Structures are given as structure tokens and as C-alpha cells.
């Protein structure tokens, strides 16, 4: 029977774990940057589609970064947070304006924001990652 001996594997595993821990801060920065861009795109799209009755819903658009799941996934949730003066959730108003109601057609304004973000965010994230890699090199 053949014997296979690999030397340095423990060091390689330790090195990979150390790089992951160092990169974790960069991943958080990337997530926050993407969420911030998405939040601003939501605001621009709402204005573009004429959803500025009082401005409350637009001002309420924000994000929350959720803690890491057991699967290791960390995510940002972007939506209008809170309620207006009458107690109506801003997220509900955003939903109705996006999809429409029986009396008013939807504008799909969030799709507009998502399309804009899809063009902007990858380059910004790559820039952050490349900056991280240049510090390592």
C-alpha cells in the first residue's frame, strides 16, 4: 500500500483561515457599500416614478445588515422602514406603488432601482476588493 505524506498542509490551512478572517472586514465593507448604493438607487427611482407625495416613504428607505446565519451568509435588507403619521407602513406603500392596486397600475420602480444598482455596484465592490488585495501585496 502506498503512503502519501503531505507536509505544510497545517500551515496552509492556518494561512487560509487567517486570510478569511482578515477578508471578513472587507466583505462587511463591500456589503455596506452595496446596501448604501441600493438605498440611494431606490430613492432616485422613487423620484423618477413620481412617488414623492410627502417624501416620508423616500426618506424612510434604509437598510439593515443582518447577522451571519448559521450557513455563513450575511445579508442586507433594503426597504422603507417604519410608519407614516397615519400608521401606514412605508414598506406597504412601496409595495403598492411597485405592483399597483386594483385602482392604480404599478410602476415597478424597485425594478428600475435594481437595474441601476446592477450596473454600478459590481465595479464598486471590485474596487474595494482590489484595494484590499493591493494592501496584501
Amino acid at each position: 500500500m502506498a503512503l502519501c505524506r503531505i507536509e505544510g498542509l497545517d500551515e496552509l490551512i492556518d494561512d487560509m483561515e487567517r486570510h478569511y478572517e482578515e477578508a471578513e472586514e472587507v466583505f462587511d465593507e463591500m456589503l455596506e457599500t452595496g446596501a448604501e448604493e441600493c438605498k440611494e438607487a431606490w430613492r432616485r427611482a422613487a423620484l423618477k416614478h413620481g412617488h414623492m407625495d410627502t417624501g416620508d416613504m423616500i426618506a424612510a428607505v434604509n437598510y439593515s445588515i443582518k447577522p451571519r446565519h448559521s450557513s455563513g451568509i450575511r445579508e442586507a435588507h433594503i426597504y422603507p422602514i417604519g410608519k407614516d403619521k397615519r400608521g401606514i407602513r412605508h414598506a406597504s406603500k412601496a409595495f403598492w406603488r411597485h405592483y399597483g392596486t386594483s385602482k392604480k397600475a404599478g410602476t415597478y420602480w424597485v425594478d428600475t432601482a435594481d437595474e441601476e444598482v446592477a450596473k454600478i455596484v459590481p465595479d464598486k465592490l471590485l474596487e474595494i476588493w482590489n484595494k484590499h488585495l493591493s494592501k496584501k501585496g
Side-chain angles (χ1 to χ4, degrees):
M1 185 176 266
L3 175 65
C4 181
R5 172 179 267 167
I6 300 173
E7 292 186 26
L9 188 58
D10 292 335
E11 291 85 6
L12 177 61
I13 291 170
D14 290 343
D15 195 38
M16 290 173 73
E17 287 175 351
R18 184 174 45 77
H19 284 297
Y20 175 78
E21 289 169 5
E22 291 172 0
E24 208 167 4
E25 288 180 22
V26 176
F27 297 152
D28 288 344
E29 179 185 351
M30 292 167 76
L31 181 62
E32 190 158 331
T33 298
E36 188 65 37
E37 285 296 327
C38 190
K39 177 178 88 169
E40 293 306 316
W42 271 50
R43 289 182 176 167
R44 287 188 295 272
L47 289 170
K48 179 180 177 180
H49 287 276
H51 300 313
M52 260 310 269
D53 299 340
T54 65
D56 289 345
M57 182 189 74
I58 307 303
V61 173
N62 212 334
Y63 62 89
S64 61
I65 296 179
K66 300 296 179 185
R68 195 169 313 284
H69 294 253
S70 60
S71 63
I73 295 172
R74 189 168 172 150
E75 55 194 17
H77 294 246
I78 298 105
Y79 58 94
I81 298 170
K83 297 179 180 181
D84 67 11
K85 293 179 238 174
R86 298 177 304 187
I88 300 171
R89 292 178 59 233
H90 293 300
S92 296
K93 292 191 290 188
F95 181 89
W96 297 325
R97 290 178 176 174
H98 181 77
Y99 290 108
T101 65
S102 61
K103 297 177 182 167
K104 191 170 184 179
T107 62
Y108 299 95
W109 66 281
V110 177
D111 292 346
T112 302
D114 288 346
E115 289 168 7
E116 181 185 329
V117 166
K119 294 175 187 172
I120 297 171
V121 169
D123 291 335
K124 291 195 178 258
L125 300 184
L126 186 60
E127 184 180 314
I128 293 167
W129 183 247
N130 286 335
K131 187 171 73 174
H132 169 71
L133 291 179
S134 68
K135 289 179 184 176
K136 295 276 148 212

